[in-house]
PDB file of all heavy atoms in Angstrom:
ATOM      1  N   SER B 538      94.202  92.412 104.941  1.00  0.00           N
ATOM      2  CA  SER B 538      93.138  91.470 105.295  1.00  0.00           C
ATOM      3  C   SER B 538      93.153  91.133 106.784  1.00  0.00           C
ATOM      4  O   SER B 538      92.102  90.900 107.389  1.00  0.00           O
ATOM      5  CB  SER B 538      93.262  90.191 104.456  1.00  0.00           C
ATOM      6  OG  SER B 538      94.532  89.595 104.634  1.00  0.00           O
ATOM      7  N   GLY B 539      94.315  91.146 107.393  1.00  0.00           N
ATOM      8  CA  GLY B 539      94.417  90.858 108.821  1.00  0.00           C
ATOM      9  C   GLY B 539      94.029  92.021 109.709  1.00  0.00           C
ATOM     10  O   GLY B 539      94.050  91.900 110.941  1.00  0.00           O
ATOM     11  N   GLY B 540      93.703  93.145 109.088  1.00  0.00           N
ATOM     12  CA  GLY B 540      93.278  94.319 109.842  1.00  0.00           C
ATOM     13  C   GLY B 540      94.370  95.344 110.098  1.00  0.00           C
ATOM     14  O   GLY B 540      94.099  96.416 110.649  1.00  0.00           O
ATOM     15  N   GLN B 541      95.587  95.032 109.722  1.00  0.00           N
ATOM     16  CA  GLN B 541      96.677  95.991 109.946  1.00  0.00           C
ATOM     17  C   GLN B 541      96.463  97.221 109.058  1.00  0.00           C
ATOM     18  O   GLN B 541      96.038  97.100 107.912  1.00  0.00           O
ATOM     19  CB  GLN B 541      98.036  95.365 109.599  1.00  0.00           C
ATOM     20  CG  GLN B 541      98.332  94.052 110.285  1.00  0.00           C
ATOM     21  CD  GLN B 541      97.989  92.849 109.414  1.00  0.00           C
ATOM     22  OE1 GLN B 541      96.950  92.818 108.747  1.00  0.00           O
ATOM     23  NE2 GLN B 541      98.876  91.873 109.421  1.00  0.00           N
ATOM     24  N   THR B 542      96.755  98.367 109.638  1.00  0.00           N
ATOM     25  CA  THR B 542      96.622  99.624 108.888  1.00  0.00           C
ATOM     26  C   THR B 542      97.951 100.358 108.840  1.00  0.00           C
ATOM     27  O   THR B 542      98.761 100.272 109.770  1.00  0.00           O
ATOM     28  CB  THR B 542      95.555 100.542 109.518  1.00  0.00           C
ATOM     29  OG1 THR B 542      95.859 100.712 110.908  1.00  0.00           O
ATOM     30  CG2 THR B 542      94.166  99.955 109.372  1.00  0.00           C
ATOM     31  N   TYR B 543      98.163 101.060 107.748  1.00  0.00           N
ATOM     32  CA  TYR B 543      99.391 101.811 107.523  1.00  0.00           C
ATOM     33  C   TYR B 543      99.007 103.160 106.956  1.00  0.00           C
ATOM     34  O   TYR B 543      98.053 103.275 106.184  1.00  0.00           O
ATOM     35  CB  TYR B 543     100.307 101.053 106.553  1.00  0.00           C
ATOM     36  CG  TYR B 543     100.667  99.671 107.041  1.00  0.00           C
ATOM     37  CD1 TYR B 543      99.887  98.572 106.708  1.00  0.00           C
ATOM     38  CD2 TYR B 543     101.775  99.466 107.870  1.00  0.00           C
ATOM     39  CE1 TYR B 543     100.190  97.307 107.183  1.00  0.00           C
ATOM     40  CE2 TYR B 543     102.091  98.200 108.341  1.00  0.00           C
ATOM     41  CZ  TYR B 543     101.294  97.127 107.998  1.00  0.00           C
ATOM     42  OH  TYR B 543     101.589  95.875 108.472  1.00  0.00           O
ATOM     43  N   TYR B 544      99.789 104.176 107.304  1.00  0.00           N
ATOM     44  CA  TYR B 544      99.466 105.540 106.894  1.00  0.00           C
ATOM     45  C   TYR B 544     100.695 106.277 106.389  1.00  0.00           C
ATOM     46  O   TYR B 544     101.808 106.050 106.864  1.00  0.00           O
ATOM     47  CB  TYR B 544      98.885 106.318 108.083  1.00  0.00           C
ATOM     48  CG  TYR B 544      97.640 105.693 108.670  1.00  0.00           C
ATOM     49  CD1 TYR B 544      97.729 104.823 109.747  1.00  0.00           C
ATOM     50  CD2 TYR B 544      96.386 105.973 108.138  1.00  0.00           C
ATOM     51  CE1 TYR B 544      96.597 104.227 110.283  1.00  0.00           C
ATOM     52  CE2 TYR B 544      95.242 105.392 108.672  1.00  0.00           C
ATOM     53  CZ  TYR B 544      95.356 104.522 109.744  1.00  0.00           C
ATOM     54  OH  TYR B 544      94.233 103.931 110.271  1.00  0.00           O
ATOM     55  N   ALA B 545     100.456 107.178 105.459  1.00  0.00           N
ATOM     56  CA  ALA B 545     101.517 108.089 105.042  1.00  0.00           C
ATOM     57  C   ALA B 545     101.819 109.043 106.196  1.00  0.00           C
ATOM     58  O   ALA B 545     100.931 109.362 107.004  1.00  0.00           O
ATOM     59  CB  ALA B 545     101.076 108.873 103.811  1.00  0.00           C
ATOM     60  N   ASP B 546     103.053 109.496 106.272  1.00  0.00           N
ATOM     61  CA  ASP B 546     103.447 110.408 107.353  1.00  0.00           C
ATOM     62  C   ASP B 546     102.569 111.653 107.379  1.00  0.00           C
ATOM     63  O   ASP B 546     102.283 112.198 108.442  1.00  0.00           O
ATOM     64  CB  ASP B 546     104.911 110.827 107.177  1.00  0.00           C
ATOM     65  CG  ASP B 546     105.878 109.688 107.465  1.00  0.00           C
ATOM     66  OD1 ASP B 546     105.458 108.678 108.068  1.00  0.00           O
ATOM     67  OD2 ASP B 546     107.057 109.804 107.072  1.00  0.00           O
TER      68      ASP B 546
END
Side-chain angles (χ1 to χ4, degrees):
Chain B
S538 57
Q541 307 96 318
T542 53
Y543 302 91
Y544 302 94
D546 289 345

